[in-house]
Amino acid sequence: MAKKLMKGSEAIAEAAIRNGCRFFFGYPITPQTEIPEYFSERMFEEDVNGCFLQAESEVSAINMVYGAATTGVRAMTSSSSPGISLKQEGISSLCAAELPCVIVNVMRGGPGIGSIQAGQGDYYQAVKGGGHGDYHLIVFAPSSVQEAIDCMGKAFDLADKYRTPAMICADGIIAQMMEPVELPEIRDYKVDPAKKPWAATGYDCKNPVGQRADVTSLYVETEELDVLHERLQGTYKVIEANEVQYEAYNMEKAEIVVTAFGTVARIAKSVIDELEGQGIHVGMLRPITLWPFPYEAVHKAATQPGVKAVLDVEMNAGQMLDDVKIAINGAQKIEFLGHCGSHLPTVEEIKAKILAMKEGM
Amino acid sequence: MAVEYKATQLLTEKPRHYCPGCGHGIIHRLVAEAIEELDVHGDVVGISPVGCSVFANNYFNFDMVNALHGRAPAVGTGIKRAKPDSLVFTYQGDGDLASIGAAEVVHAAMRGEKISTVFVNNAIYGMTGGQMAPTTLVGQKTTTSPNGRDADWCGSPIRICEMLSTLEGTYYVERVALDSPGHINQAKKAIKKAFQYQMEGKGYCLVEVLSTCPTNWSMSPVESMDWLKENMIPYYPLGVFKDKGAE
Amino acid sequence: MLEQCIFAGFGGQGTLLIGKFLACAGLMEGKEVTWLPSYGPEMRGGTANCSVVVSDKPIAAPVISNPSAVIAMNLPSLLKFEHTVQPGGVLIINSSLTDAKSSRDDVKVAYVPATEIAEQVGNPKGANVVILGAYMALRPEVVKVETLIEAMKEELGPRKMKFLDGNVKALHAGMEYVKNHQ
């Protein structure tokens, strides 16, 4: 299929549809409003025949997703940072009720209302919790429009496979940018009660077949909650063992390894390409899944023979840096370059930082 | 003709946790009987709230989904949009529906969402132990209004039926009570009518049931029935506030 | 070839659209492209700009700090981006809207009275495409003119196809103007 130019937000929406998502509930907020706008037309086209509904709030939107997900269908919502904060009670609840769904966060600068430009300040929120309780989301951080499309498919599949919500952490740049993309074929998703026995697909108590749906996040007894946590933590271990995704770039002769995700990783890539032309070898380890985090890959890259230092670059105060440090566990020198809010690190400053590090070696 | 009083299969045999004299047991039964009589019990999704009836998942013998505090109408919206042919109802108390979930119920009603709500108003927060509800009467003592609800300080109680019946999207709104056998029969008729309308594809229906909470009202079950009659009904008048089907 | 181009102007001048034409043409020629708009309050009656990268190789950053070409459709855009142009790069100024002169002597500067030219060819709303023509004349190595016209067809779509002829005229007029005033 020929590539076509597509805006990130629209590509995300179309990718969801092509992966069987027929239920979208959301609320407008910049810079992701093109996602609900796209769904508001596309969901009602003949080859889709789905449901778009503008909710009264982000809180309601995530709870509508919760409702739709209980029936086994593929459902999603999208928002941007402040709206994702509002959704947290629902996200925690979806995890506890073990309901698959996809949440897209087009990150902008925070905290508070913050800015509407791209941000990366929601790393902790996405990866370390956000809502209350011990839970994880599978979190993808695409760094191109094509990768955002690919992540959508993966997110829906893994959400169903592991009965857990998955999140796409994009940012304002990924959502607003147009790039050439290839879309997957459109596929339908039919709820199979045999595969989703927990779903509310109808239960006749006078003529019972299968089990009665009892979807809840309530486990009043300590022992009952323990059982849930054993199951959740067991699932998380399987996910950590099998679903880590990352990109290793220009690692062969690397002396310095950059760790970065999303848009910032692309800025860093520009620097790496430029320096390579000057005979300065810099590699990059870019997590595609922020959770599960590629601890092993980061450790391996940082301790690869010839590597003398690691530079973590982020558009926040060093949130992923914590995980990079855990991964490296003291085995390599780590430096950090970053700005908070929506202050994007530039090619020039990353280059200057790397050259200064190189100087000090 | 002999009338046999027997249990409905639409309720499980799990022992209820409700206090003596609590209205939830009666209302559960009315809901179950209404569904059974409409013969749609194989395709129902009930949404339980946060509050005393949070355990309703254990008692209703059909698909049940528990919603976060106040979010039942949003959850019901998601379910109904995904399963338009199913009977979908929310079962909510006064704190859940009229306080923390006020936005959700208003907007589900505004959209004319084809779901039904059984709204249990007992003028107090039961589960958390007797705090002031948005429907607590002026002067009524609760653990967070120990000197009685002060209208100047925290406003007057909200009348949900009156408010929601002003919305174009509501199809049928009625307030009933549990204080007498006659009123209980009327409550069942109202709930059945709301479900009937939903199955006919009509808009949003809500039945408010004035109920009792002897434990948190610090009364005997009998005293609480009298209190409901003497104090709640004058402020929350019974009757049909809207019935587009009867117009 | 790595072209990093910023198109900047007021909202409503069609600045984002000419950026799209260029990106679309790049794609049609099998090149790598990115198109990144400014968005938000800036767009509501304020300045609007987009960054377009066209390259033979996969594009790392879609964000441009030092463009190889800047198209300034008005004075605020000139003031904002003039100093960022790479030495040896191109700066095109819509001289219909500003008399300002660039102080840069290390870049190629072209002053194009785009509004007047557009009016002359009977397409008064085509100042943006005139400027794009000027850009095409100064940067022939990025995409071919034929491809750009194909891209215009694609982006306008059937609903706006009636504007194609006027735009093609404006494009050629912009190219001619630059060729005659170099």
Side-chain angles (χ1 to χ4, degrees):
Chain A
M1 207 165 85
K3 283 193 178 184
K4 60 188 263 187
L5 265 188
M6 220 170 169
K7 212 172 190 189
S9 42
E10 296 176 351
I12 283 170
E14 183 62 30
I17 286 171
R18 293 194 179 214
N19 283 289
C21 175
R22 294 292 179 275
F23 294 87
F24 177 90
F25 306 95
Y27 188 81
I29 178 172
T30 309
Q32 63 81 52
T33 303
E34 290 85 348
I35 297 176
E37 281 176 347
Y38 187 89
F39 277 125
S40 72
E41 269 196 62
R42 187 78 173 101
M43 277 297 192
F44 301 107
E45 287 176 13
E46 216 171 310
D47 62 329
V48 179
N49 195 19
C51 167
F52 159 84
L53 191 62
Q54 180 168 325
E56 60 271 25
S57 67
E58 281 95 346
V59 175
S60 284
I62 192 74
N63 283 286
M64 289 174 184
V65 169
Y66 180 102
T70 62
T71 71
V73 299
R74 287 190 160 181
M76 72 171 281
T77 185
S78 71
S79 192
S80 177
S81 308
I84 295 293
S85 293
L86 279 169
K87 289 185 198 292
Q88 291 300 334
E89 65 153 26
I91 293 173
S92 166
S93 192
L94 282 153
C95 289
E98 298 166 275
L99 291 173
C101 68
V102 172
I103 302 137
V104 174
N105 181 5
V106 175
M107 290 186 285
R108 63 188 232 187
I113 300 173
S115 82
I116 56 168
Q117 302 305 319
Q120 290 192 329
D122 306 348
Y123 181 93
Y124 281 155
Q125 188 197 50
V127 170
K128 308 287 180 188
H132 60 283
D134 265 330
Y135 71 84
H136 279 295
L137 306 173
I138 303 175
V139 184
F140 295 89
S143 77
S144 70
V145 177
Q146 183 65 56
E147 195 167 69
I149 291 171
D150 301 341
C151 286
M152 285 303 289
K154 197 93 183 163
F156 276 107
D157 288 347
L158 294 187
D160 273 344
K161 182 173 176 185
Y162 296 109
R163 284 187 66 181
T164 184
M167 179 178 270
I168 309 285
C169 269
D171 63 48
I173 289 178
I174 303 288
Q176 295 292 326
M177 179 170 52
M178 287 208 308
E179 285 190 298
V181 296
E182 262 179 284
L183 288 160
E185 289 299 313
I186 191 157
R187 63 173 158 139
D188 222 358
Y189 179 84
K190 286 266 172 289
V191 181
D192 179 356
K195 279 188 183 159
K196 289 185 170 174
W198 47 267
T201 51
Y203 173 81
D204 183 348
C205 61
K206 296 181 179 178
N207 199 359
V209 178
Q211 71 189 64
R212 179 178 77 86
D214 175 12
V215 180
T216 186
S217 66
L218 174 75
Y219 297 87
V220 171
E221 301 296 334
T222 301
E223 296 74 18
E224 288 176 17
L225 190 56
D226 278 349
V227 172
L228 171 75
H229 275 298
E230 258 172 53
R231 200 162 62 233
L232 288 182
Q233 297 300 327
T235 303
Y236 297 153
K237 282 200 169 63
V238 178
I239 296 172
E240 282 174 323
N242 295 292
E243 309 298 350
V244 170
Q245 273 192 59
Y246 60 90
E247 180 198 15
Y249 183 73
N250 205 42
M251 280 300 301
E252 203 180 321
K253 292 190 241 167
E255 290 181 89
I256 292 170
V257 175
V258 172
T259 50
F261 70 96
T263 293
V264 173
R266 290 185 65 155
I267 312 287
K269 226 177 203 179
S270 276
V271 178
I272 291 168
D273 292 350
E274 194 181 327
L275 291 176
E276 187 66 28
Q278 300 169 23
I280 299 169
H281 307 298
V282 181
M284 180 160 72
L285 200 297
R286 175 177 71 88
I288 297 171
T289 50
L290 300 182
W291 194 88
F293 188 81
Y295 289 109
E296 272 183 47
V298 170
H299 185 89
K300 214 177 126 201
T303 54
Q304 176 178 301
V307 172
K308 298 191 181 80
V310 170
L311 173 63
D312 181 65
V313 190
E314 296 180 65
M315 204 180 350
N316 57 46
Q319 298 187 14
M320 188 179 79
L321 180 62
D322 286 358
D323 283 320
V324 171
K325 283 177 174 170
I326 290 168
I328 294 175
N329 198 18
Q332 187 58 273
K333 205 175 123 193
I334 308 170
E335 298 215 22
F336 175 70
L337 170 65
H339 305 295
C340 298
S342 25
H343 183 163
L344 192 63
T346 63
V347 166
E348 291 67 35
E349 58 184 331
I350 298 172
K351 192 163 44 179
K353 176 78 183 175
I354 290 174
L355 291 175
M357 286 169 70
K358 175 98 175 129
E359 194 87 343
M361 279 176 184
Chain B
M1 192 181 73
V3 176
E4 193 186 354
Y5 185 82
K6 59 173 185 182
T8 162
Q9 282 175 268
L10 271 69
L11 290 172
T12 65
E13 285 172 7
K14 272 222 172 102
R16 314 288 187 259
H17 71 288
Y18 299 119
C19 304
C22 169
H24 277 308
I26 301 170
I27 303 168
H28 282 18
R29 186 171 173 111
L30 299 183
V31 167
E33 285 180 356
I35 293 170
E36 190 165 28
E37 287 170 20
L38 290 169
D39 198 24
V40 292
H41 59 275
D43 198 5
V44 183
V45 188
I47 299 143
S48 59
V50 167
C52 287
S53 45
V54 70
F55 294 108
N57 274 32
N58 299 336
Y59 308 144
F60 285 115
N61 202 5
F62 38 74
D63 286 346
M64 287 296 294
V65 172
N66 179 240
L68 281 162
H69 205 15
R71 314 298 174 225
V75 171
T77 297
I79 294 172
K80 186 72 182 187
R81 298 284 175 149
K83 285 173 60 101
D85 298 329
S86 302
L87 178 71
V88 177
F89 73 92
T90 71
Y91 187 106
Q92 301 177 261
D94 43 50
D96 188 87
L97 180 140
S99 190
I100 199 167
E104 282 76 9
V105 74
V106 166
H107 284 267
M110 181 206 78
R111 289 190 300 268
E113 211 60 63
K114 292 172 184 59
I115 60 175
S116 317
T117 291
V118 177
F119 168 40
V120 181
N121 178 2
N122 59 11
I124 204 155
Y125 279 68
M127 187 67 150
T128 44
Q131 292 77 32
M132 187 180 71
T135 51
T136 291
L137 296 177
V138 171
Q140 188 184 340
K141 288 182 179 173
T142 71
T143 61
T144 50
S145 58
N147 300 315
R149 179 175 183 152
D150 178 349
D152 277 343
W153 190 253
C154 44
S156 297
I158 189 166
R159 294 184 180 101
I160 286 293
C161 286
E162 286 82 339
M163 185 175 86
L164 292 185
S165 58
T166 66
L167 295 169
E168 285 301 317
T170 47
Y171 192 84
Y172 166 64
V173 179
E174 179 166 355
R175 184 182 288 124
V176 295
L178 295 186
D179 61 310
S180 69
H183 280 164
I184 291 173
N185 276 336
Q186 181 54 34
K188 180 172 160 189
K189 276 186 198 150
I191 292 168
K192 191 172 168 185
K193 192 172 190 177
F195 291 166
Q196 178 69 49
Y197 278 147
Q198 184 187 155
M199 295 316 290
E200 289 167 8
K202 304 294 198 293
Y204 183 74
C205 300
L206 179 138
V207 177
E208 175 174 342
V209 186
L210 300 182
S211 185
T212 53
C213 183
T215 301
N216 288 304
W217 291 357
S218 305
M219 294 175 195
S220 73
V222 175
E223 285 168 348
S224 70
M225 288 296 179
D226 291 339
W227 194 87
L228 188 165
K229 191 178 305 176
E230 284 157 22
N231 296 278
M232 288 182 74
I233 294 178
Y235 189 84
Y236 297 114
L238 306 184
V240 177
F241 291 83
K242 192 171 185 183
D243 185 353
K244 281 192 182 176
E247 284 167 10
Chain C
M1 191 269 298
L2 171 65
E3 177 76 328
Q4 296 170 298
C5 194
I6 290 179
F7 295 85
F10 290 127
Q13 276 186 307
T15 317
L16 302 190
L17 184 66
I18 54 174
K20 267 191 196 173
F21 289 159
L22 180 65
C24 184
L27 173 65
M28 285 175 162
E29 292 190 357
K31 297 183 166 86
E32 300 287 340
V33 296
T34 59
W35 175 91
L36 176 65
S38 61
Y39 59 87
E42 276 191 273
M43 275 172 67
R44 318 263 184 260
T47 59
N49 67 74
C50 63
S51 304
V52 178
V53 183
V54 183
S55 173
D56 297 326
K57 288 191 230 148
I59 296 163
V63 181
I64 304 170
S65 6
N66 290 112
S68 45
V70 163
I71 283 84
M73 294 290 285
N74 58 15
L75 181 62
S77 305
L78 177 64
L79 298 176
K80 187 170 179 184
F81 293 110
E82 181 189 10
H83 68 282
T84 65
V85 186
Q86 291 169 17
V90 164
L91 173 62
I92 303 169
I93 298 163
N94 178 10
S95 60
S96 294
L97 288 191
T98 172
D99 296 327
K101 300 290 173 209
S102 172
S103 56
R104 294 285 297 267
D105 53 11
D106 58 342
V107 302
K108 170 78 190 158
V109 185
Y111 300 92
V112 182
T115 311
E116 284 85 342
I117 297 172
E119 279 166 2
Q120 278 163 24
V121 298
N123 180 8
K125 287 184 176 168
N128 58 335
V129 183
V130 170
I131 285 275
L132 182 61
Y135 168 83
M136 291 297 291
L138 291 164
R139 280 287 201 229
E141 67 276 25
V142 179
V143 295
K144 294 191 189 79
V145 180
E146 305 87 86
T147 321
L148 192 80
I149 292 171
E150 283 304 308
M152 280 161 56
K153 276 189 204 162
E154 169 91 19
E155 285 293 320
L156 289 172
R159 217 156 44 88
K160 294 180 180 166
M161 196 50 76
K162 55 180 183 277
F163 300 121
L164 182 68
D165 280 351
N167 279 323
V168 172
K169 275 186 198 145
L171 185 77
H172 286 299
M175 292 176 69
E176 285 304 309
Y177 182 86
V178 167
K179 281 175 191 159
N180 297 335
H181 291 78
Q182 266 181 353

